């Protein structure tokens, strides 16, 4: 059972010295977030905690609806977590006390619609001697069946997929100017300010 769940925003990367070695680290910011509600097996057929991030202010006079920048849920919650944190309880860095390694779930950077040269690192065809085929796909293969195989390399959207990283070490915890920051070893998926789920 997992014991902690948080949503962070990816910031820039940097380097720090550790044991006379320069190691790359990624800085992530813990966003203001609260527990929206708990799902139970009796009512929702499974147990989970729903967390929202960045609640937007609304004007009651205009009957505006409450919206959030992100709302997500985490399954396999621990009993001690559900007993300690009720609905509308804010979550912060205190959840990660004594935790040295975490798991991350994010979305990798999308690179658009790419041809086989970039997506599959296909080699170039000859560039000289009158060749008119330079950035072409490899052979489309067999005579029978007379169709292209499903697994054959073709152009398609590149990246922009969900990526899960496990056992990412927390190098340091920093609280500065009212912000809570984590320094994580190595790089993590996502672009600048993208949301990343933290599971500990």
């Amino acid at each position: 059972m997992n014991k902690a769940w948080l949503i962070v925003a990816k910031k820039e990367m940097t380097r720090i010295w550790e044991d006379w070695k320069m190691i790359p680290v990624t800085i992530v910011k813990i966003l203001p977030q609260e527990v929206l509600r708990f799902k139970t097996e009796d009512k929702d057929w499974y147990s989970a905690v729903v967390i929202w991030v960045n609640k937007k202010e609304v004007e009651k006079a205009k009957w505006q609806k409450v919206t959030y920048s992100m709302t997500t849920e985490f399954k396999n919650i621990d009993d001690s977590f559900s007993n300690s944190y009720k609905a509308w309880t804010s979550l912060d860095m205190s959840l990660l006390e004594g935790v040295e390694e975490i798991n991350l779930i994010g979305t990798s950077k999308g690179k658009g619609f790419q041809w086989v040269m970039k997506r599959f690192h296909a080699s170039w065809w000859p560039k000289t001697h009158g060749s008119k085929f330079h950035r072409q796909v490899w052979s489309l293969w067999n005579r029978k069946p007379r169709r292209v195989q499903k697994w054959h390399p073709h152009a398609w959207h590149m990246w922009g997929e969900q990526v899960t990283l496990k056992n990412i070490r927390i190098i340091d915890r920093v609280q500065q100017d009212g912000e809570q920051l984590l320094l994580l070893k190595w790089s993590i998926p996502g672009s600048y300010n993208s949301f990343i789920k933290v599971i500990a």
Side-chain angles (χ1 to χ4, degrees):
M1 302 292 284
N2 301 318
K3 298 182 179 180
W5 301 266
L6 287 173
I7 301 174
V8 299
K10 179 183 177 181
K11 298 298 180 180
E12 63 272 4
M13 290 191 66
T14 184
R15 296 176 296 176
I16 63 173
W17 283 98
E18 185 183 49
D19 297 333
W20 298 98
K21 292 182 180 179
M22 187 75 78
I23 61 174
V25 296
T26 304
I27 302 175
V28 297
K29 175 185 175 182
I30 298 180
L31 301 171
Q33 52 198 292
E34 292 182 0
V35 176
L36 186 61
R37 73 183 186 95
F38 286 93
K39 292 187 176 182
T40 60
E41 296 182 357
D42 298 334
K43 185 177 181 180
D44 303 291
W45 301 99
Y46 65 96
S47 60
V49 58
V50 182
I51 298 176
W52 61 260
V53 178
N54 293 337
K55 182 179 180 180
K56 298 181 180 179
E57 296 183 359
V58 299
E59 297 184 15
K60 295 183 179 180
K62 295 183 179 180
W63 294 89
Q64 293 181 349
K65 186 179 180 181
V66 178
T67 57
Y68 313 97
S69 296
M70 179 183 181
T71 304
T72 185
E73 65 179 34
F74 296 93
K75 299 180 181 179
N76 300 326
I77 61 175
D78 189 57
D79 294 336
S80 60
F81 179 85
S82 58
N83 295 331
S84 303
Y85 296 89
K86 303 300 180 182
W88 309 110
T89 304
S90 59
L91 305 177
D92 52 16
M93 193 185 296
S94 61
L95 276 173
L96 299 178
E97 289 184 1
V99 177
E100 297 182 356
E101 294 182 347
I102 58 177
N103 300 333
L104 302 175
I105 301 177
T107 303
S108 60
K109 290 183 180 179
K111 297 185 178 180
F113 195 89
Q114 298 296 337
W115 184 227
V116 293
M117 293 292 125
K118 185 173 183 178
R119 188 172 180 229
F120 296 103
H121 306 287
S123 58
W124 282 65
W125 286 70
K127 301 180 183 179
T128 57
H129 300 288
S131 174
K132 298 181 180 180
F133 304 95
H134 306 302
R135 293 174 55 87
Q136 298 298 321
V137 69
W138 304 312
S139 171
L140 294 181
W141 284 60
N142 42 9
R143 295 171 60 187
K144 291 183 180 181
R146 297 197 176 192
R147 56 179 170 80
V148 180
Q149 302 291 348
K150 290 183 179 180
W151 48 264
H152 195 279
H154 273 292
W156 198 249
H157 289 282
M158 190 174 179
W159 305 119
E161 302 173 348
Q162 179 175 296
V163 178
T164 302
L165 299 181
K166 295 184 177 181
N167 302 328
I168 302 300
R169 187 159 65 91
I170 300 177
I171 301 298
D172 195 6
R173 300 169 174 85
V174 180
Q175 293 189 11
Q176 184 178 5
D177 299 333
E179 295 183 349
Q180 297 180 339
L181 306 176
L182 296 176
L183 272 66
L184 307 178
K185 189 175 182 180
W186 305 120
S187 61
I188 60 177
S191 57
Y192 185 81
N193 275 338
S194 61
F195 293 153
I196 298 174
K197 300 179 182 179
V198 174
I199 303 175

